[in-house]
Amino acid sequence: MRRKQKSDRKITGLLPGIFSVIIFVLTSITWGPRIGFFVLGSIILFYALLIFYTYYRTRHTWTLISTIYMFTYGSLLLSIAPHMIIGSKINFPLESKILLVLTILLFWWLLYLSFTRKLKWRGREILELAAYNIEQTDGSFTPRPLPTGKVNISKSDLNDFARYFQKNLLGLAYWEDSRIVFMPLKYKNEYFALFNPNYNYHEKTWIAINYSGNVSVNISKMDYLDYKEDLAFDELCKSLSDVIVDFLELYIDGREVRIMDKMDELRINVFT
Amino acid sequence: MIMDFKQVAKISNYLAKDYAENIFRLIMAYQDISASEAASRLGIHIRTVQDFLEAMTEYGIIEKKEVFERKRPYYRYAIKEKKIEIMIDLDDAFAETNNNPSEYTIKEAKDAGAKFSIARNGEYFSAITIWIGEGRTTKERKISLTTAQGQFLYHLPFPDAAPLSIEEIMNKGSIDKMNKSEILDIVDELHSMHVIEKIF
């Protein structure tokens, strides 16, 4: 199937890693490998805290594995740091060896989870599904929401779906006074959404459902420009609304596995 | 006498003149009076008095009578209504606007460049910001919207969508018909700013 979205070549996902390596190299050159490993280990533990916050926010089970991996990896670096002296024979203590085994095991587990899309934010899939049958026009973007219809849903079902939405990394949900806003989140955009205190989700792509069942949709300019063609904007908004309402109905019917199937069938690159 | 805004503006303009009271004093004191007699009595130009008396005659406050006395005919003016009432019935003035269906459909104009600010509850717009002009001369104009206007604009069709009539959009937004006049006002304003496109 021909993709509607541009391929993702952003390196945002690699930035924390690149940043850590640069700091590690600089501190190792300046103060020696002992300090370098100590600093890198501290940075990794800090990342573990951030990833734990992601788990706390989403309750996504596999993110807890990421947290544990980062914690063991950071602890490993800290445990070997005192032994990293240039010119002397390195003899790691037992706890370092245990941490090394744990880190390797968790690394492979996480790699497996990544390739089975268990760690993937699904915003790209949702926007791809929304654009599936939408035709090209001469450009009609407008930066405002569109009311798209109404669904019959109870407040408790809507709350449950919002938790499901987050727990399966479809995106983030925001509870407002009279509605819940669902923001599909693309992989590599999660840093800004999760860790920026001034993040304004109202300007992003979202689908809001109020407690009376009224549905509104907003598509951000950035996401619209991420499509290869100028798609009919009105139709695109309605289609995005249909995708989420469809997911909602599948969830209420207890067929949430079909939601994941629909997105997996697109076979979008696991690292985008 | 029920008038429209233009009539009220015209008669008010005459009544606000500093000589208006003096002319009425003369007309009340005299059985009837000609424009030249009043002008000479008050020391103002005859044309000024003539215009004033003609305007008052037009609104039925003064009546005029053509007379022939050894010279060419002229008019003598006398008071007709001793109480001057200026009345505007706002219901009548705007009933046509509120009750008649619009003769056009509307949608958002393409590349309108307006920013719609969402209200706190997220279900209507609270304001719209429009940038007028280009380059350094660009000016920002922010219009605060009433709840009805905000709900109406929230349901305004997108530039590539099928246009809808004002009544259809009001129905979609569940907006009371009583609010139609304020809806028409914002539609006209935004149309003049090229934010809304009207299709006749």
Side-chain angles (χ1 to χ4, degrees), chain A residues 27-229:
Chain A
T27 49
S28 295
I29 290 169
T30 314
W31 293 293
R34 202 161 71 93
I35 300 295
F37 273 84
F38 183 77
V39 170
L40 182 61
S42 303
I43 291 172
I44 299 295
L45 284 183
F46 175 68
Y47 289 162
L49 276 179
L50 294 182
I51 296 172
F52 180 74
Y53 175 74
T54 307
Y55 166 75
Y56 176 76
R57 178 78 165 80
T58 62
R59 304 293 166 151
H60 175 242
T61 315
W62 304 120
T63 301
L64 205 53
I65 305 299
S66 290
T67 309
I68 296 168
Y69 163 73
M70 293 300 271
F71 183 76
T72 55
Y73 181 36
S75 302
L76 169 67
L77 294 171
L78 290 179
S79 71
I80 62 172
H83 308 281
M84 301 302 285
I85 300 164
I86 298 169
S88 68
K89 191 185 172 196
I90 300 169
N91 190 15
F92 294 137
L94 179 64
E95 63 264 27
S96 298
K97 289 172 184 166
I98 294 169
L99 285 168
L100 180 66
V101 172
L102 274 175
T103 304
I104 291 169
L105 284 175
L106 287 166
F107 174 77
W108 285 106
W109 191 6
L110 284 174
L111 209 59
Y112 168 76
L113 291 173
S114 292
F115 279 106
T116 50
R117 297 187 164 80
K118 295 286 193 297
L119 294 173
K120 189 177 186 318
W121 288 92
R122 301 297 193 136
R124 183 163 282 269
E125 279 90 338
I126 292 173
L127 290 170
E128 192 68 39
L129 283 171
Y132 187 63
N133 283 322
I134 308 300
E135 299 297 323
Q136 185 180 1
T137 58
D138 56 350
S140 50
F141 174 80
T142 180
R144 69 181 177 91
L146 178 77
T148 49
K150 193 164 184 169
V151 285
N152 283 322
I153 187 168
S154 69
K155 190 175 177 180
S156 64
D157 280 344
L158 191 60
N159 277 315
D160 290 346
F161 178 68
R163 282 189 280 273
Y164 168 84
F165 189 82
Q166 293 196 127
K167 196 171 180 181
N168 289 277
L169 301 188
L170 275 70
L172 291 176
Y174 296 90
W175 277 259
E176 296 183 350
D177 290 345
S178 59
R179 62 180 191 165
I180 298 177
V181 178
F182 300 90
M183 182 182 72
L185 200 50
K186 289 181 183 176
Y187 184 61
K188 297 175 190 174
N189 286 348
E190 72 270 25
Y191 304 121
F192 306 106
L194 285 162
F195 307 127
N196 179 0
N198 297 319
Y199 191 78
N200 185 0
Y201 62 89
H202 282 130
E203 291 178 354
K204 309 297 176 189
T205 297
W206 49 257
I207 305 93
I209 304 175
N210 73 7
Y211 297 128
S212 307
N214 294 312
V215 187
S216 297
V217 168
N218 187 67
I219 294 179
S220 72
K221 190 164 193 175
M222 189 185 286
D223 282 333
Y224 184 67
L225 294 177
D226 212 17
Y227 288 112
K228 290 174 186 166
E229 299 164 335

Side-chain angles (χ1 to χ4, degrees), chain A residues 137-140 142-147 176 178-179 202-203 206 210 216 231-235 237, chain B residues 108 110-111 114-116 118-123 125 153-162 172:
Chain A
T137 58
D138 56 350
S140 50
T142 180
R144 69 181 177 91
L146 178 77
E176 296 183 350
S178 59
R179 62 180 191 165
H202 282 130
E203 291 178 354
W206 49 257
N210 73 7
S216 297
L231 302 178
F233 194 64
D234 185 63
E235 295 299 318
C237 287
Chain B
E108 186 183 336
K110 195 177 167 188
D111 300 325
K115 184 188 172 193
F116 295 83
I118 303 172
R120 190 174 287 270
N121 77 351
E123 294 183 2
F125 296 124
L153 292 177
Y154 199 77
H155 290 81
L156 183 69
F158 278 175
D160 62 335
K172 282 181 81 175

Side-chain angles (χ1 to χ4, degrees), chain B residues 51-79:
Chain B
D51 285 348
F52 182 87
L53 292 171
E54 283 300 318
M56 295 305 111
T57 306
E58 188 184 328
Y59 291 110
I61 298 165
I62 286 172
E63 60 184 353
K64 66 179 180 182
K65 193 167 69 179
E66 196 173 23
V67 293
F68 305 88
E69 287 177 6
R70 297 190 300 273
K71 47 186 177 180
R72 61 190 173 90
Y74 68 103
Y75 290 110
R76 296 194 69 81
Y77 298 88
I79 195 77

Side-chain angles (χ1 to χ4, degrees), chain B residues 116-134:
Chain B
F116 295 83
S117 305
I118 303 172
R120 190 174 287 270
N121 77 351
E123 294 183 2
Y124 60 92
F125 296 124
S126 58
I128 178 169
T129 309
I130 302 130
W131 287 268
I132 301 160
E134 285 180 4

Side-chain angles (χ1 to χ4, degrees), chain B residues 132-152:
Chain B
I132 301 160
E134 285 180 4
R136 290 177 190 281
T137 58
T138 303
K139 282 184 183 170
E140 181 187 298
R141 182 164 173 216
K142 187 173 183 178
I143 302 173
S144 296
L145 303 169
T146 64
T147 304
Q149 289 173 335
Q151 284 171 333
F152 180 84

